Every structure is written in C-alpha cells, then in structure tokens.
Amino acid sequence: MEAQDTVHEAHTPAIPSGVRSEGDALARLYDSVADDMEATNRTIVARMDSPVPLIPQLAAHLVAAGGKRLRPLLVLASARLCGYTPGPDGIRRHVNLAACVEFIHTATLLHDDVVDESHMRRGLASANAVFGNKASVLVGDFLFARAFQLMTDDGALRVMAILSAASATIAEGEVLQMSTQNDLSTSLERYLEVIHGKTAALFAAACRVGAVVAERPAAEEIALETYGTNLGMAFQLVDDALDYAADQARLGKTVGDDFREGKITLPVLAAYEAGDETERAFWRRVIEDSDHTEADLATALDLIDRRGAIARTLDHARRYADAACAALDVFPQSRLRRQMTDIARYTVDRDR
Amino acid sequence: MEAQDTVHEAHTPAIPSGVRSEGDALARLYDSVADDMEATNRTIVARMDSPVPLIPQLAAHLVAAGGKRLRPLLVLASARLCGYTPGPDGIRRHVNLAACVEFIHTATLLHDDVVDESHMRRGLASANAVFGNKASVLVGDFLFARAFQLMTDDGALRVMAILSAASATIAEGEVLQMSTQNDLSTSLERYLEVIHGKTAALFAAACRVGAVVAERPAAEEIALETYGTNLGMAFQLVDDALDYAADQARLGKTVGDDFREGKITLPVLAAYEAGDETERAFWRRVIEDSDHTEADLATALDLIDRRGAIARTLDHARRYADAACAALDVFPQSRLRRQMTDIARYTVDRDR
C-alpha cells in the first residue's frame, strides 16, 4: 500500500519498490532514465486528476499500485537510445508520451477486470461487485480519453497513428482471446496472435514512439518496433508460464488464475498436445467443460511439469527475447543498448 | 431486425426507418444531408470491420440497430450550415468525422450497457444481454480506438482536441452519475452537470467539429457549440422524462428503467422536492434503499404525475431548446438553419 500513499507527493519515487531491491537488469535501466521516470510519474498524477473525486481515487489505486512501469520505461529508453533531447521549449515529449502509454495500459487493465454477469449469481451480485464493474469501465474510459488528450497535446500525427492503431489492436487481441476461451483446438498461431494483440502491440508502439519523437530514420523506428514486439511476446509467454509455475508468494498473484478462467495459454496447449488420451480427457473436462476443483489444479500443474510444457513455453520466450536483442544491432554499442538487451534476457529469467 | 440485415449492403438507407415515417422535423433535416448520411453509413460499416469476426458482428448489432444517428446528423448539418465543401482531394472530412462521433457514441452505449445492466436498448436486446459484459467492454474499446484512428486520418489537431476532451467529459459525467445513484440529496445543479457530461458534451463537440472543418470564425464555432450543448441538455431531460411517461411500446424501451436502477433524474428529484412527508418516505425507500416492487413503479408514476414533475422537467428542456435556437442567430436565415431550430423543438415535443 506504500506506493498508493505516495501518489500525491511531489516527488514520487522513480523506481517502483521491489525493482531496485532485485538489483537486476530492470533496475539498471530504470536508473539510466531516473529523472525522466520521475517526471513521468508526476505527469501521470497530474493528468489523472478530475473534478470528479472518484476518478483520481480509483485511478491512483491502479496507476500508483506499483506496477513495473515497463511500457513508459520503454518509451523513455527508446527515445534516449535514439538520442532524443527536448527542444528549446523545454517540453519533454517522451515523458508526456510515456505517461500516455501507461494510461492506455492502465485502461486495458481496468477493463480486463470486468467480470461477466455469468460469473456472478444472477440477481445476487453484491453491490460491491457491480460497483466494481461499473467503476472499472468508466475510469478506464476516462484514462483512455486522457491518453488521447496527451497525444493531441504532443501534436504529432505519426504518434497518434501509432498509438491509436495499437489501441485498436489491443482490443482485437482481447476479443480474440475471449473467443479462444475454453477452446483446446486453438492453434499455436492463434495463441501467438492473441498475445501479440493483448501485449506485444503496445510494447512495440511504446518503443516506436521513442524513435519518432527523436526524428530518427525509418530503419531505427522499425528496429525499435521489432525490439518492442519481440520483447512483448517474450514477456507475455513468461507471464503465461508463471501462472502455472511461479512461487505464489513471490509472484504476488494467485497461481492458476488462467486455469480457473479456462484461458488458453501455451502451457496448457503444449501439455494437451503432448498428453495421452487420459490426459486429454482431463484437459477437456477442466478447460472445455470448466468442470474443475482445486485438486484438479494440482493435477494440471503436475501434467504441465511432466510434459515439459513450461520448458516449451520458455523456449518460445527465449527465441523472442533473442530476436528483440538482435533488432537493436542497428544501434552502435552503448551502455543503454546493453541495458535494453539485458531486460530482454531478464524477462525470460524472471520469476515474478 | 430489418436494420441489422441491411448493414452489409452497399447502399444503406440514409434515413433510419421510423424517422421518415414520422414526416417530422428530424426527417426533413436528414433529407437535407441525405447523400452525406449515406456516405457516413458506408464509412461506419467499412471502419468497424476487423479480422476478428466477433467485432463486426457485435458492432453491427448496435451501430446498425437504427438509432437516430443524431450525432452524425449534427456534424453533417453543422458543416453544411457553415458552408463546408470538400476540398479538391474529394475527401469528405465531415463524413469521416460524423462516423467518428457515432463510434464514440456507440462505444459509450456499449459501456453503458455494462454499467446499467439494462436489458433493452433501441428496442432490441442489448448487446450486453446477447454477448456478455466483457464483449461489450472490449468492442466498445475497439470502436473508441477506431474513432481516434478516424481523427488521426483527418489530421486536424483542433478536431482531436475537441473530441478527446469530449470523451474525457463523457467518462466524468458517467462517473458522476454513478456517484449520485440512489442519492436523493443530489442537487439540481449536480444533475445538470451529469447530463451535460453524459449527453450534451458530445452533442456540442459534434456541432463544433462541423464548424472547424469549414474553417469558420470563432463566433460561428462557439454558436454551434452552444447550440449543441443546449440541444443535448434538452434531449437528455426529455429522455429522462420519457422514462416515467412514455408509451412503452412506442419508445422501444422499458418505462421505469431509471426507477429500477435508482438513477437520479429530474422527474424523481422534482417529485421528491414537492412531496409531503409520506411521499418522501416512499421515495427514500424505493430510491435510496432500492426496496421496490413493480407496484411501487405505478405509485411512482402517479406521484410524479400529481406533483407536476414531468411538466417541470419539460419546462427545463424547453428553456434549453430555446437557447439552442437562439444560438443560431449568428447565421443568416436559411432552410437549413430553420430545420436545425425545428429539431430543437421536435426534441421537446417527441414521444419516443
């Protein structure tokens, strides 16, 4: 809760707690853009304000809850890698756009929280559950609108084109994910399309926007977009692996969320594909028919482990991380470039 | 279902069925911009397409359901009133922005379905009831993103500033409405603030955008914005009156929706204010404690009628409609200007 309390302070800590303590690749990259990240945090707090008190209250809960701020970090690092320096007007375009990207991300998180009515007992949904849905949707909409106001203030049509296309792709990815739910016949290709939409598209846009504000040649823009896409794919693959593999306490989230929702992710697809008939019957019951108990989760974790499905998922992630690193070859060697390739590797090795 | 079936035809009828048959002020205004409205409908169909099939399916359900298309009509009529003609490139900016405004509106309707858990909208089963909360949220997000892509394609920063600010104001209005729910101590001023946000802000933006594309002086922009604001206020006040007064079959929505949701609207506030102690106790039970039966709705309708609360609501609406008409005085007399003042009067006199 500490992060939440600090949200209205003038000097929000640049580096989310829990990142620095790891002393890892991510913390080093945060350090490299610490001033810009502090400015981004201040912009986030300033721009989520509204005369309607519930909005900053709820937005603060998520925006300030201490996520990794990975997407704004990518905007800032990409702009820096491209040698961006603010113009004579002193406006830090990359800072405003980093805040913008975090707003888009937060809006999608809020909307992802929305629960289908079918998941509540009809007519018995608690006032709180209904209030939650309602607030999530509307505050998400507000942040999305604010993101577009930040883009408008920035004034570059190319930035708007990139970020509005990414926003459409995110929505498409989320809808596609919804339509693969509970469906074990989902192909690997379709799964990759889903995670591209829900995660990689915004990573790619964040990186590309950094190159755009620096007014770099197309080759550098495309290199950063490729870096972002591949980093995002790796990130989501690992996220999906962690949902079946992580130490629950360290992850800070419940293992098995995806399992309980019947979400189709690579660990499940790989275990299903490699399974014998008995195993496949198990997967059909728990995923397709949504007929499962907590004991079934233990069985699922065991089957996923025995069929090497986590390893297969991480193999995919590692290939994407390698592609992310390779994409940065167009830039001369530098400390910053090394830090950016390091976080691609960190993404695969992380356990949280 | 008829309107839905025609959505993929090349020549979507310009005038929604049910409007022409009335032979009223609205139909005459549609006639004046019939070509542009047909082009708008085609743009809407083209731009809601997506490789993810569920998106056009769900979007068609609402976009094609034959609402009044009032907001795109306002963009088109305002642009025409300002003498807008497409440039030598043949691009009809007002048509693209009319589609854009309808997408923003449809996105808010989809999200409103989640919020209000309403079961009927425009006489069809709501998208939410058919597809679920989550789909409504995500397809709304997609349409919102598409709206911003249309603005980006248009390329005018002033248009983006107007429409992104309106989008933020809509979200604020909806959140404010949420926080007044079940609260009979809501002031008239606060209620007016809510309906300004949820309805009048987009009416105003639609009208103003018409003036912006025509590159008219600030006085005309502001006149049209004032017209739109006041028209929107009148429109929402009448909508709120109709929820307690309309013939259910003709309105195509269930009378008493607002009552059942504990929504605070002027008919209730006025009846509460004018009521005696017994009546006030009744209102507190049914609105504040959400403790009501269908028999209570009959009582509510009776009290609202006896206390003249509908008349008071319509008085307010009439004053806003008058202000809308007066705002157009800066424009020379013309058939189009008269049609635009006529729809302000129609808004107050309509029974659907």
Side-chain angles (χ1 to χ4, degrees):
Chain A
M1 291 293 101
E2 192 187 2
Q4 212 183 321
D5 294 335
T6 64
V7 67
H8 290 295
E9 288 178 11
H11 297 288
T12 322
I15 301 173
S17 62
V19 169
R20 188 189 286 283
S21 63
E22 289 171 37
D24 58 15
L26 201 51
R28 286 194 298 277
L29 187 55
Y30 275 110
D31 272 335
S32 286
V33 297
D35 285 356
D36 291 341
M37 188 58 84
E38 268 182 40
T40 302
N41 286 336
R42 285 194 300 271
T43 301
I44 286 171
V45 172
R47 296 303 288 260
M48 74 189 179
D49 204 16
S50 161
V52 180
L54 193 55
I55 289 177
Q57 276 165 28
L58 283 171
H61 194 77
L62 243 137
V63 170
K68 287 200 181 71
R69 291 268 205 275
L70 208 44
R71 293 152 191 85
L73 178 66
L74 291 174
V75 176
L76 300 175
S78 298
R80 186 72 66 93
L81 187 70
C82 288
Y84 171 71
T85 47
D89 56 9
I91 293 172
R92 292 198 261 184
R93 294 180 61 195
H94 63 327
V95 164
N96 293 333
L97 293 172
C100 167
V101 165
E102 185 69 357
F103 278 173
I104 293 174
H105 173 58
T106 307
T108 66
L109 283 187
L110 278 162
H111 287 182
D112 206 42
D113 278 348
V114 170
V115 175
D116 266 320
E117 275 173 339
S118 58
H119 293 244
M120 310 177 201
R121 259 178 293 170
R122 186 160 282 282
L124 290 179
S126 70
N128 200 27
V130 174
F131 179 83
N133 259 355
K134 194 169 175 170
S136 291
V137 174
L138 297 177
V139 175
D141 287 352
F142 174 81
L143 291 178
F144 200 41
R146 272 284 187 270
F148 279 95
Q149 289 185 292
L150 278 158
M151 284 178 233
T152 305
D153 291 349
D154 177 71
L157 280 176
R158 302 227 14 255
V159 167
M160 286 174 221
I162 291 164
L163 290 174
S164 56
S167 301
T169 303
I170 293 168
E172 288 177 324
E174 299 265 9
V175 174
L176 197 61
Q177 172 171 272
M178 204 176 70
S179 52
T180 64
Q181 192 138 329
N182 304 108
D183 181 2
L184 286 166
S185 75
T186 304
S187 64
L188 172 64
E189 192 183 19
R190 176 59 52 100
Y191 162 75
L192 293 174
E193 205 180 327
V194 167
I195 67 173
H196 175 266
K198 65 181 261 197
T199 304
L202 191 57
F203 274 59
C207 292
R208 183 161 196 161
V209 158
V212 170
V213 297
E215 300 178 359
R216 299 300 302 163
E220 294 187 18
E221 264 187 39
I222 292 164
L224 276 166
E225 185 179 46
T226 306
Y227 167 81
T229 301
N230 286 287
L231 182 66
M233 295 298 285
F235 184 85
Q236 189 59 51
L237 279 157
V238 175
D239 226 47
D240 290 349
L242 288 174
D243 204 80
Y244 286 97
D247 172 335
Q248 184 167 330
R250 294 190 64 192
L251 184 64
K253 82 176 209 185
T254 319
V255 166
D257 276 351
D258 293 348
F259 176 80
R260 277 180 285 266
E261 285 172 34
K263 202 179 270 184
I264 296 298
T265 62
L266 189 49
V268 167
L269 289 178
Y272 178 70
E273 195 187 281
D276 60 25
E277 249 329 296
T278 317
E279 291 173 33
R280 287 183 164 224
F282 167 82
W283 287 116
R284 279 193 294 270
R285 171 172 62 83
V286 295
I287 298 292
E288 296 205 327
D289 305 338
S290 298
D291 168 15
H292 50 73
T293 62
E294 281 304 296
D296 288 324
L297 174 58
T299 306
L301 290 170
D302 181 51
L303 292 179
I304 282 173
D305 182 47
R306 279 199 284 138
R307 291 302 181 179
I310 294 295
R312 203 182 140 193
T313 304
L314 294 179
D315 274 351
H316 273 274
R318 206 162 285 115
R319 279 199 292 277
Y320 282 111
D322 288 344
C325 295
L328 296 188
D329 282 349
V330 304
F331 295 95
Q333 275 291 8
S334 68
R335 199 170 63 104
L336 190 63
R337 176 182 140 183
R338 199 163 43 251
Q339 287 174 345
M340 289 177 78
T341 55
D342 283 352
I343 66 160
R345 314 232 177 268
Y346 154 83
T347 290
V348 180
D349 298 332
R350 75 199 161 105
D351 55 4
R352 51 183 290 147
Chain B
M1 293 292 105
E2 191 185 3
Q4 212 182 325
D5 292 337
T6 63
V7 67
H8 290 297
E9 287 177 12
H11 297 288
T12 322
I15 301 173
S17 64
V19 170
R20 187 187 285 285
S21 64
E22 290 171 35
D24 58 17
L26 200 52
R28 286 193 298 278
L29 187 55
Y30 276 109
D31 272 335
S32 287
V33 296
D35 284 355
D36 291 341
M37 188 57 87
E38 270 183 40
T40 302
N41 286 335
R42 286 194 300 272
T43 302
I44 285 171
V45 172
R47 296 302 290 259
M48 73 188 179
D49 204 15
S50 161
V52 179
L54 189 58
I55 289 177
Q57 276 167 30
L58 203 157
H61 194 81
L62 244 135
V63 170
K68 288 199 180 75
R69 290 268 205 275
L70 208 45
R71 292 152 194 85
L73 179 66
L74 291 173
V75 176
L76 299 174
S78 297
R80 186 70 68 91
L81 187 69
C82 288
Y84 171 72
T85 49
D89 57 8
I91 293 173
R92 293 199 260 183
R93 295 180 62 195
H94 62 328
V95 164
N96 293 333
L97 293 173
C100 168
V101 165
E102 185 70 356
F103 279 173
I104 293 174
H105 173 59
T106 308
T108 66
L109 283 187
L110 278 163
H111 288 183
D112 201 43
D113 276 342
V114 174
V115 165
D116 290 344
E117 296 178 315
S118 50
H119 300 295
M120 293 280 284
R121 168 149 338 255
R122 291 175 176 175
L124 295 174
S126 77
N128 172 270
V130 177
F131 297 97
N133 262 349
K134 195 105 191 179
S136 292
V137 173
L138 298 177
V139 175
D141 287 350
F142 174 81
L143 291 177
F144 200 39
R146 272 282 188 272
F148 279 95
Q149 289 185 291
L150 279 158
M151 283 177 231
T152 306
D153 291 350
D154 177 72
L157 280 177
R158 301 226 14 252
V159 167
M160 286 175 222
I162 291 164
L163 290 174
S164 56
S167 301
T169 303
I170 292 168
E172 288 178 323
E174 299 265 9
V175 174
L176 196 61
Q177 173 171 274
M178 193 176 79
S179 52
T180 64
Q181 192 137 328
N182 305 109
D183 182 3
L184 286 166
S185 75
T186 303
S187 64
L188 172 64
E189 191 184 22
R190 177 58 53 100
Y191 162 77
L192 294 173
E193 205 180 329
V194 167
I195 67 173
H196 175 267
K198 65 182 262 198
T199 304
L202 191 57
F203 274 59
C207 292
R208 181 158 198 165
V209 159
V212 170
V213 298
E215 299 177 359
R216 299 300 302 163
E220 293 186 18
E221 264 187 39
I222 291 164
L224 276 166
E225 185 178 47
T226 306
Y227 168 81
T229 301
N230 285 287
L231 182 66
M233 295 297 286
F235 185 84
Q236 189 58 52
L237 279 157
V238 176
D239 227 47
D240 289 348
L242 288 174
D243 203 80
Y244 286 98
D247 172 334
Q248 181 168 333
R250 295 187 65 192
L251 182 64
K253 85 176 210 185
T254 319
V255 166
D257 275 351
D258 292 348
F259 176 79
R260 278 180 284 267
E261 288 170 31
K263 200 179 271 184
I264 296 299
T265 61
L266 189 49
V268 167
L269 288 179
Y272 178 70
E273 193 187 284
D276 61 25
E277 249 329 294
T278 316
E279 291 172 34
R280 288 184 163 223
F282 167 82
W283 288 115
R284 279 193 294 270
R285 171 171 62 83
V286 295
I287 298 292
E288 297 206 327
D289 305 337
S290 298
D291 169 15
H292 50 72
T293 64
E294 281 305 295
D296 288 325
L297 174 58
T299 307
L301 290 170
D302 182 52
L303 291 179
I304 281 172
D305 183 48
R306 279 199 285 137
R307 291 302 182 179
I310 294 295
R312 202 182 140 195
T313 304
L314 294 179
D315 274 351
H316 272 275
R318 206 163 284 114
R319 280 199 292 275
Y320 281 111
D322 289 344
C325 295
L328 296 187
D329 282 349
V330 304
F331 295 95
Q333 274 290 6
S334 69
R335 198 169 64 103
L336 190 63
R337 176 182 139 181
R338 197 161 48 250
Q339 287 173 346
M340 289 177 77
T341 54
D342 283 353
I343 65 160
R345 314 232 177 270
Y346 154 83
T347 290
V348 179
D349 297 331
R350 74 198 162 106
D351 56 3
R352 51 184 288 148

